Amino acid sequence: MVNFELDKLKHTTSGNFFLMAGPCAIEGEEIAMRIAERIVTLTDQLEIPFIFKGSYRKANRSKGDSFTGIGDEKALKILEKVGKTFGVPTVTDIHESAEAAMAAAYVDVLQIPAFLCRQTDLLIAAAKTGKVVNVKKGQFLSAGSMRFAVDKVYEAGNKRVILTDRGNTFGYQDLIVDYRGLPEMQSFGVPVVMDVTHSLQQPNQSSGVTGGKPQLIETIAKAAIAVGADGLFIETHPDPAHAKSDGANMLHLDLLEQLLVKLIKIRKAVV
């Protein structure tokens, strides 16, 4: 694992935003290492602080037979190997309080899924590990409501919090991003991230498989950087069409470099 200071993410020496990126789920060691190596190469060249993202288990699935993971310990050990091999922090989701200590033994950042951001026991368990806690804003909550999630982590003795927006519910099968929420959550004194790819999901499809609008990834990312987001969250894969989870809204790995170059230019223009 990598020890890193949260303030360095918000106030990077390069002046860039930071990036949380990787596959939706850990599908296997070879592909995780390949994705990580590519992103590390890009972010090192572009001086973008990077946190590798991968879910060791997917607990929130529409259908009972959807892919959920390759095994908790196996996936967590892959995340640990990515961190040690490339010298980068790693982040993964947890879903129940009992998972906090287990995941904390392998990764640097514990992520609270959007649907679980009000679960007090889960937030407290994550906080008590001493790890950075990334809380995703619920699709059903206002930005202002996330103050209470921050308070719960703080009151448990942990001041290392990130908030991540991932859009708001807009009808039954779509999400919309309210960019007013980014500066509002920044007013709480924590780094704020825009989850670009999940904001483009189209949930609750009749097929039982979540859809998406990946053609709008650049649009959402550009707007977030222009507004002043501290970081971006982007799920990426070398073959999204065959990814085992959330392929419909992921960015093709080959497109990441050109996107980041454009975003850096916007960042420099607005800072």
Side-chain angles (χ1 to χ4, degrees):
M1 289 180 290
V2 177
N3 291 320
F4 67 100
E5 297 298 327
L6 199 57
D7 283 348
K8 291 182 180 179
L9 296 181
K10 192 171 181 181
H11 306 290
T12 65
T13 55
S14 65
N16 282 332
F17 51 89
F18 66 91
L19 179 67
M20 306 173 80
C24 177
I26 297 299
E27 301 175 4
E29 182 176 316
E30 187 277 331
I31 192 166
M33 297 295 283
R34 178 154 53 104
I35 293 170
E37 183 177 23
R38 178 62 177 149
I39 304 175
V40 167
T41 299
L42 288 176
T43 52
D44 281 352
Q45 291 173 349
L46 298 172
E47 298 184 272
I48 297 173
F50 170 52
I51 301 172
F52 180 81
K53 182 270 169 187
S55 296
Y56 73 89
R57 174 157 43 91
K58 301 299 295 183
N60 178 22
R61 303 284 84 187
S62 296
K63 297 169 65 178
D65 60 356
S66 295
F67 174 80
T68 58
I70 60 174
D72 292 357
E73 187 176 14
K74 183 177 181 180
L76 286 167
K77 285 184 176 179
I78 291 171
L79 283 163
E80 182 180 46
K81 183 173 181 178
V82 167
K84 288 181 176 179
T85 300
F86 300 106
V88 296
T90 54
V91 56
T92 198
D93 317 73
I94 58 171
H95 318 92
E96 298 180 11
S97 301
E99 297 176 25
M102 175 184 70
Y106 296 93
V107 302
D108 305 279
V109 182
L110 298 179
Q111 183 166 284
I112 309 299
F115 281 127
L116 301 178
C117 68
R118 285 171 52 93
Q119 296 296 102
T120 301
D121 288 349
L122 181 60
L123 288 165
I124 291 174
K128 287 186 175 179
T129 66
K131 298 292 183 176
V132 174
V133 181
N134 178 35
V135 189
K136 286 197 169 183
K137 184 186 78 63
Q139 304 93 317
F140 47 87
L141 288 178
S142 68
S145 298
M146 293 304 291
R147 166 80 266 180
F148 305 112
V150 174
D151 287 345
K152 289 175 183 178
V153 178
Y154 279 9
E155 289 164 5
N158 188 336
K159 301 293 185 181
R160 308 174 76 200
V161 184
I162 299 171
L163 291 180
T164 296
D165 196 348
R166 47 104 5 110
N168 303 293
T169 300
F170 188 67
Y172 290 112
Q173 295 176 319
D174 209 356
L175 299 167
I176 192 167
V177 177
D178 181 354
Y179 287 96
R180 298 174 299 177
L182 301 185
E184 183 171 3
M185 290 192 291
Q186 284 173 325
S187 72
F188 307 151
V190 299
V192 173
V193 174
M194 184 75 240
D195 181 342
V196 178
T197 46
H198 283 103
S199 296
L200 292 167
Q201 283 185 335
Q202 293 179 302
N204 305 317
Q205 299 295 308
S206 59
S207 66
V209 179
T210 297
K213 297 180 179 179
Q215 68 273 19
L216 293 176
I217 287 173
E218 184 172 318
T219 300
I220 298 294
K222 283 179 174 178
I225 294 301
V227 169
D230 298 296
L232 295 178
F233 181 108
I234 298 175
E235 289 188 338
T236 183
H237 193 282
D239 187 8
H242 293 96
K244 294 184 178 181
S245 179
D246 282 2
N249 54 271
M250 276 200 276
L251 180 70
H252 197 292
L253 187 59
D254 289 346
L255 300 177
L256 183 60
E257 181 175 10
Q258 64 187 48
L259 175 61
L260 294 176
V261 170
K262 291 177 182 179
L263 297 176
I264 289 172
K265 292 178 180 178
I266 295 172
R267 176 76 164 200
K268 289 178 178 178
V270 300
V271 170

